[in-house]
Amino acid sequence: SAVISQKPSRDICQRGTSLTIQCQVDSQVTMMFWYRQQPGQSLTLIATANQGSEATYESGFVIDKFPISRPNLTFSTLTVSNMSPEDSSIYLCSVRGNQETQYFGPGTRLLVL
Amino acid sequence: LAKTTQPISMDSYEGQEVNITCSHNNIATNDYITWYQQFPSQGPRFIIQGYKTKVTNEVASLFIPADRKSSTLSLPRVSLSDTAVYYCLVGEGYTGRRALTFGSGTRLQVQP
């Protein structure tokens, strides 16, 4: 299994600002994913971030709004840009090992005022 | 990706067995069935995965009929700590390269 940590665990931000969320894994993994979970809802995939290539975004999510970095095999960041109250969600990092199913971080709880 | 349908919520009492059934009529030949559990303020946690027949681990059992169009997660003797949302997912198995797609989930409430 993989142990995943995220920073910050929670934050309250003003509209129009940006927040960068960090995801750290305790082992090298090829595939990393970012999900969003709005209050009381299920998880929605934002993008897939593989080391050495640009992130692949799902329908409804764009790079200008959610830029992603993947500098190495144990780390990734997701930035939520020009935030509005509609961006208030839990953002989760997830990884997939070579032979294992997906593991999830604890999430970053974001509130935009 | 195959769409899944599961009950929105279920109630149970401590010590009872809970069975949550998921429908996935359009499951593909290569698809596996995976169940995740999510507690409030935590990320989803893998419970069990199977392809056909029955799979059992220390946490749960997964029953899959021959046509694979549905599956049932069985939690033996639930406790209050089993109160969570349970997600049924259908897609690539262990070696797949696509991210998991989550459905709406089943909110299980266990009462004393």
Side-chain angles (χ1 to χ4, degrees):
Chain A
S1 65
V3 178
I4 305 167
S5 60
Q6 289 185 229
K7 290 182 180 180
S9 59
R10 58 178 63 227
D11 207 343
I12 301 174
C13 301
Q14 297 296 321
R15 69 171 67 209
T17 62
S18 298
L19 176 72
T20 295
I21 302 168
Q22 299 179 6
C23 175
Q24 181 74 52
V25 190
D26 69 341
S27 58
Q28 294 186 337
V29 293
T30 303
M31 305 185 72
M32 295 183 78
F33 311 101
W34 286 97
Y35 287 81
R36 180 175 74 181
Q37 187 171 28
Q38 295 179 305
Q41 303 296 313
S42 183
L43 286 78
T44 301
L45 180 65
I46 298 172
T48 299
N50 293 330
Q51 196 268 340
S53 62
E54 287 196 6
T56 303
Y57 290 83
E58 297 298 308
S59 175
F61 298 96
V62 294
I63 187 171
D64 289 346
K65 176 67 175 177
F66 298 101
I68 288 171
S69 77
R70 182 81 201 275
N72 57 52
L73 292 174
T74 63
F75 188 78
S76 177
T77 66
L78 169 76
T79 299
V80 186
S81 303
N82 188 25
M83 289 183 286
S84 67
E86 292 72 32
D87 294 319
S88 297
S89 285
I90 300 172
Y91 291 85
L92 297 120
C93 169
S94 177
V95 304
R96 188 158 201 162
N98 291 331
Q99 295 290 332
E100 299 169 337
T101 189
Q102 281 181 235
Y103 296 91
F104 288 81
T108 295
R109 188 179 296 270
L110 171 61
L111 176 63
V112 183
L113 302 177
Chain B
L1 295 173
K3 179 179 169 59
T4 59
T5 303
Q6 51 184 126
I8 294 174
S9 64
M10 294 182 69
D11 293 311
S12 183
Y13 293 93
E14 282 192 292
Q16 289 189 334
E17 178 184 78
V18 171
N19 296 307
I20 307 174
T21 297
C22 178
S23 297
H24 27 81
N25 291 319
N26 297 323
I27 189 169
T29 303
N30 296 332
D31 284 343
Y32 282 73
I33 301 153
T34 310
W35 286 79
Y36 276 76
Q37 174 192 55
Q38 186 178 27
F39 297 114
S41 302
Q42 294 186 25
R45 181 176 74 109
F46 172 84
I47 300 176
I48 198 166
Q49 184 180 82
Y51 184 80
K52 61 181 179 180
T53 63
K54 176 183 175 182
V55 179
T56 297
N57 61 23
E58 64 278 6
V59 177
S61 294
L62 178 59
F63 298 92
I64 306 169
D67 65 5
R68 304 199 327 121
K69 293 184 183 298
S70 67
S71 60
T72 299
L73 174 73
S74 181
L75 304 173
R77 300 182 60 79
V78 294
S79 64
L80 295 176
S81 62
D82 292 316
T83 293
V85 178
Y86 292 82
Y87 293 98
C88 164
L89 300 97
V90 172
E92 295 179 324
Y94 285 115
T95 59
R97 297 192 63 80
R98 290 199 307 268
L100 293 173
T101 299
F102 284 77
S104 57
T106 296
R107 190 172 300 273
L108 173 65
Q109 180 69 49
V110 180
Q111 314 250 5

